[in-house]
Each structure stands twice: as C-alpha cells, then as structure tokens.
C-alpha cells in the first residue's frame, strides 16, 4: 500500500509551468510537422522524385525505407542527448534537438532529385532523414520529462498531454501545407511545390527556438542537482538499475507506435493505391483526425489524473486490439464518411490519445537518477521495432498477400496485445514523488499529496 510523503509538496510556480507547457507543445509541433510532411511526401511524391527507375510498388517500399531510416537513428540520438539531459538539464537538450530537426528538414527541401544527380540523391535523402531522427530521438521524451517534473501533482496527466496537442498541431499544419501544395498543377508540385513544403519548416523552427531560449529548468531537476554529491552517470545507472522498466516502456509503446504510424503513414498509401482514393482527399482527412486527436489527448490526460494512468492506458490499448479489422472493413467500402470515421478514431486512440497519457506515465515510472535516459531509451527503441518499420512491413504484407488487408490487421492487433499485457504488468504511478531516486514499484512508491491549488487548477 502506498503512503503519503511526510513532507509537504514543493510549491509550484505556475508561470514556469505555462512556459514549460508552451515549450513542449511547440517542440512537438515541429517534430510532428517534420514527420507528417515527410511521411506524406513518402506516400505521394518521393517514389517519383528519388526512385523513378523501379516499379511503383518497389518505389513505394523504397520511399518508406527512407522513412524508417530516421527511426533507426532515434535511439542513437536518444542515448546521446539523454546523457546530457540528465547531467546538464532538460532545457539545453531541447534547444539543440530543435535546431537539428529543423535544419535537416530545411535541407531536404534543397536536395537535388534522382533526375539531377542520380543515385546520390536518395543517399542524401537518407542522410537528412538520419539527422532528423537523431534530433527527434530525445525531443518528445525531453518535453514530457520537463513538463511532468514542472507540473503539480494532480495535474501532471493534463499538462503533459499538451505535448500531444503539439503533435496534433504539427499534423494539422503539415496537412494544411500539403493541401496548399496539391492545389498546384501536378508538374509544378513535382518540380518546386514539394520543396516549399519542406522549406516552410523554418518558420516553425524559429518560433520554437525563441520560446525555448526563455525556458526555465524543471524544479524537480534543480532540486536533484542541488542534492548531488557526485557527477551523475545516467546511462550507467539505467543500465544497472533500470533495465526492467526500460523493457516495460519498450513493450508498452510497441503496439501503440506501430498502430500510430500505420494510421498516419501507411493508410494514406493504402487508400490511394488499393482503394483508389483521390490523393487530394488524404491531407484534409489527416487534418480532421489530428484536431480530434489533440482534444482526445488532453481528455484522456485529465481522466488519468482522476482514475490513474494504468487504467486509462489499459482501456485504450484494449480497444485498439479490436480496432484494425473493423477499420479496414470500413476503409474498403471507399466511403468518404467511413474513411474519415476510421481516421478520427485512430487518431483519437492510437496517434494522440494513449500517447497523451504516456507523456506523464513514462516519466513517473523512472526514478530521478536517470529519468530522461530511461524514458528516451524505452520510447526510441520501441520506435525501431514499432513505428519506424511499420509502414514498410505493412507495404510488404500487402505485396505478399495480393493487397489483402487481413495480415496487416493481424500485425496491428498482435503488437497492440503485447502493449496491453505490458501495461497490465506495470505499476500505477499517479502522483508519485518525482524526487524519489528509485523506480516505481507495485505498492512501494511514495505518493505526493494533491494540494487544493492543484485540484483547483485541474
């Protein structure tokens, strides 16, 4: 049975919480903006621009392979930046990763195509995508850690879920930019229109940089820093003491990441190539889905503050085990209403809803000694076996089984079942003391009382 801490909770500066919330939101906006414009380009134009001399199916697979490259580099970036995040602070890392992601996206918009320089073009595309992934490797984890540590007990779920409101905003902005690009003549879109899509990321990058430079470090990290008696070694500590919880996070996020990226990336190409949907219909659907997903993220975050993280995540992942088969049955009708309905449910549950709760759940799982490293390693290694290769696996399954959606649905459901089981085996972390150096454990975590101020804010 958990017991309350004897000491009263440290007062929370609400102005710092608001700055942390905006900084986390805007950074994830850039990350998801980069992701959406790249993922949509993979489905719509990259196969023609960078892989023109192979069959359409092989070109699509090659295009999704470059998408996966970014995910292969995310854990490397996570390992590198989380080391400094736990030693020097969260703010420094969040500024550097922002510049790396934004710079790589800008560079993609300047790349020559296969028709201009041949094989070097897809190689350069892979390099830029690797740089994107390296920077993104510590982005959401850093934002989630900073915001969870900055929020008062009783409000962490709601405030950390704002990270996924940023994700929804990035998806919406990416969809809007592609809607504008698709209004161009087809030849213009393939020659210079797609470049403007990537070059536009400079505006989001500058806005995010201005906000993050004014960011304060989290009060929990400052308290931990003052109490240190020796330099921290987060990677060594997490390797020695945190392996079990890193594995938990990997498995908890495995199915979620798989379904999220399947919905956001693969389903666009499936609708176009198999169902025969007009490509111009895809960005508006992503826009509607992302807006609904942002609302769902905050709603589920608030609910998790009331009834617990594990219960909410279990309800959502349990529902998502059953989601794929009915979803594909509706998609195969070709009905615009059915397609919009499937995408809205997918965004609300898999893309933003459950991840919104993960934003507070994952940081609460780990002790203060290596929180940033633990969250980052768990999330980013799961992204390799989950979301990074999911569109490529789904495309391969379609090719192997004559465009049948059944193997894809089975793949989505089985991975989500793994995440559901892992969640049920993970302790509840609601309102645990984040200054505790030990990881969360069943029935042993120290709980911080929820103040009347936090209840009022909630």
């Amino acid at each position: 049975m958990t017991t309350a801490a004897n000491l009263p909770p440290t007062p929370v500066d609400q102005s710092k919480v608001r700055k942390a919330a905006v900084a986390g939101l805007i950074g994830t906006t850039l990350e998801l903006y980069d992701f959406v414009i790249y993922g949509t380009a993979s489905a719509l134009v990259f196969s023609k621009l960078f892989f023109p001399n192979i069959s359409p199916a092989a070109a699509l697979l090659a295009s999704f392979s470059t998408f996966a490259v970014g995910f292969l580099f995310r854990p490397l970036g996570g390992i590198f930046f989380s080391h400094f995040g736990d030693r020097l602070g969260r703010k420094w890392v969040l500024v550097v990763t922002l510049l790396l992601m934004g710079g790589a996206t800008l560079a993609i918009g300047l790349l020559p195509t296969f028709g201009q320089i041949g094989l070097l073009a897809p190689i350069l595309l892979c390099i830029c995508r690797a740089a994107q992934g390296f920077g993104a490797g510590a982005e959401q984890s850093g934002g989630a850690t900073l915001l969870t540590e900055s929020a008062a007990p009783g409000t962490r779920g709601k405030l950390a879920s704002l990270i996924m409101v940023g994700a929804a905003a990035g998806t919406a902005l990416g969809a809007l930019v592609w809607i504008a690009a698709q209004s161009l003549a087809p030849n213009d879109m393939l020659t210079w229109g797609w470049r403007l899509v990537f070059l536009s990321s400079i505006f989001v990058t500058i806005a995010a940089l201005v906000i993050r430079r004014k960011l304060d470090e989290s009060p929990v990290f400052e308290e931990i820093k003052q109490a240190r008696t020796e330099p921290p070694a987060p990677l060594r500590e997490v390797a020695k003491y945190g392996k079990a919880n890193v594995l938990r996070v990997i498995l908890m996020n495995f199915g979620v990441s798989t379904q999220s990226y399947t919905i956001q990336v693969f389903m666009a190409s499936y609708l176009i190539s198999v169902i025969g949907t007009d490509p111009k219909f895809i960005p508006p659907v992503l826009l509607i889905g992302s807006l609904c997903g942002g609302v769902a993220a905050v709603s589920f975050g608030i609910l998790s503050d009331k009834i617990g993280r594990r219960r909410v995540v279990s309800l959502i992942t349990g529902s998502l085990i059953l989601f794929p088969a009915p979803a594909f049955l509706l998609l195969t009708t070709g009905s615009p209403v059915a397609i919009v309905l499937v995408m809205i449910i997918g965004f609300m549950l898999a893309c933003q809803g459950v991840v919104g709760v993960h934003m507070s759940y994952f940081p609460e799982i780990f002790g203060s000694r290596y929180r940033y490293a633990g969250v980052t390693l768990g999330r980013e290694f799961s992204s390799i076996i989950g979301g990074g290769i999911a569109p490529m696996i789904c495309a391969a399954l379609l090719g192997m089984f004559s465009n049948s959606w059944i193997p894809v649905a089975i793949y989505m459901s089985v991975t989500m079942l793994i995440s559901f089981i892992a969640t049920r085996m993970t302790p509840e972390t609601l309102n645990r003391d984040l200054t505790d150096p030990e990881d969360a454990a069943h029935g042993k975590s120290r709980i911080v009382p929820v103040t009347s101020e936090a209840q009022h804010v909630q």
Side-chain angles (χ1 to χ4, degrees):
M1 191 73 179
T2 54
T3 59
N6 295 324
L7 297 176
T10 303
V12 174
D13 186 334
Q14 292 300 325
S15 65
K16 291 185 177 181
V17 172
R18 285 190 290 271
K19 283 198 290 185
V22 173
L25 188 151
I26 194 77
T28 309
T29 298
L30 174 63
E31 179 186 351
L32 266 291
Y33 180 77
D34 291 348
F35 154 73
V36 167
I37 60 176
Y38 193 98
T40 306
S42 296
L44 299 181
V45 299
F46 277 174
S47 58
K48 302 181 182 72
L49 295 170
F50 292 94
F51 307 98
N53 295 333
I54 53 180
S55 70
L60 183 63
L61 189 60
S63 184
F64 281 149
S65 297
T66 65
F67 178 80
V69 165
F71 286 85
L72 294 175
F73 278 83
R74 285 179 71 131
L76 299 178
I79 291 171
F80 178 80
F81 288 115
S82 65
H83 172 75
F84 293 101
D86 276 321
R87 286 177 66 94
L88 305 178
R90 292 39 167 141
K91 174 184 173 179
W92 178 87
V93 170
L94 291 175
V95 171
V96 175
T97 56
L98 185 77
L99 292 172
L100 187 54
M101 288 189 305
T105 304
L106 192 67
I108 291 174
L110 300 173
L111 287 180
T113 63
F114 188 92
Q116 295 170 310
I117 61 170
L119 188 59
L120 186 59
I123 293 174
L124 290 175
L125 179 65
C126 286
I127 292 173
C128 290
R129 181 61 182 155
Q132 271 187 331
F134 194 81
E139 173 59 36
Q140 278 191 21
S141 300
T145 300
L146 176 70
L147 195 43
T148 300
E149 290 180 340
S150 299
T155 66
R156 291 173 187 161
K158 179 181 72 173
L159 290 171
S161 69
L162 293 176
I163 298 288
M164 298 317 295
V165 175
T171 303
L173 285 174
L176 285 171
V177 169
W178 271 111
I179 289 171
Q182 288 183 313
S183 67
L184 299 170
N187 187 60
D188 289 340
M189 210 258 281
L190 283 173
T191 52
W192 55 268
W194 71 273
R195 295 185 182 280
L196 293 183
V197 171
F198 285 89
L199 295 176
S200 66
S201 71
I202 191 172
F203 300 108
V204 184
T205 304
I206 291 173
L209 181 62
V210 170
I211 292 171
R212 284 202 169 166
R213 286 187 62 190
K214 300 178 181 179
L215 185 63
D216 294 304
E217 192 52 77
S218 85
V220 170
F221 179 80
E222 291 291 359
E223 185 175 342
I224 295 166
K225 187 177 179 180
Q226 292 297 324
R228 283 176 182 161
T229 58
E230 59 183 26
L235 294 177
R236 187 173 69 235
E237 292 272 325
V238 76
K240 186 174 182 180
Y241 301 109
K243 291 191 293 293
N245 278 328
V246 169
L247 180 60
R248 279 196 178 102
V249 171
I250 288 173
L251 296 179
M252 288 171 70
N253 199 51
F254 174 38
V256 174
S257 179
T258 297
Q259 283 209 21
S260 175
Y261 288 106
T262 298
I263 291 165
Q264 295 182 80
V265 178
F266 169 75
M267 281 189 177
S269 64
Y270 176 80
L271 288 168
I272 294 167
S273 61
V274 178
I275 307 302
T277 304
D278 184 349
K280 292 184 178 180
F281 182 64
I282 302 302
V285 173
L286 293 176
L287 174 61
I288 295 169
S290 64
L291 294 175
C292 294
V295 174
V298 176
S299 300
F300 285 124
I302 293 172
L303 183 62
S304 76
D305 280 330
K306 296 181 181 297
I307 68 173
R309 315 285 187 234
R310 185 172 67 165
R311 187 176 297 176
V312 175
V313 173
S314 297
L315 288 170
I316 300 174
T317 53
S319 301
L320 288 170
I321 294 170
L322 306 175
F323 172 71
F328 277 103
L329 286 171
L330 287 171
L331 292 178
T332 54
T333 66
S335 165
V337 174
I339 292 170
V340 171
L341 177 64
V342 168
M343 298 301 281
I344 286 176
I345 294 174
F347 268 87
M348 290 183 70
L349 296 182
C351 302
Q352 263 100 44
V354 67
V355 184
V357 184
H358 280 173
M359 291 297 101
S360 55
Y361 199 178
F362 290 167
E364 287 174 338
I365 287 173
F366 292 97
S368 61
R369 293 174 297 174
Y370 46 76
R371 176 169 293 121
Y372 198 154
V375 175
T376 301
L377 293 177
R379 290 191 81 247
E380 299 312 328
F381 276 105
S382 70
S383 73
I384 293 181
I385 62 174
I389 61 173
M392 190 168 57
I393 288 177
C394 292
L397 288 172
L398 273 188
M400 291 170 59
F401 293 94
S402 304
N403 286 341
S404 171
W405 57 264
I406 294 176
V408 177
I410 293 172
Y411 165 62
M412 293 171 68
S413 293
V414 169
T415 58
M416 190 60 70
L417 176 61
I418 294 171
S419 288
F420 174 80
I421 294 171
T423 300
R424 297 308 302 163
M425 296 176 66
T426 301
E428 178 57 67
T429 62
L430 181 63
N431 298 330
R432 77 177 295 247
D433 183 358
L434 296 183
T435 64
D436 188 344
E438 303 300 324
D439 287 359
H442 291 282
K444 295 182 180 179
S445 297
R446 191 166 72 235
I447 302 300
V448 177
V450 178
T451 64
S452 58
E453 178 188 3
Q455 290 172 331
H456 176 71
V457 172
Q458 186 175 357

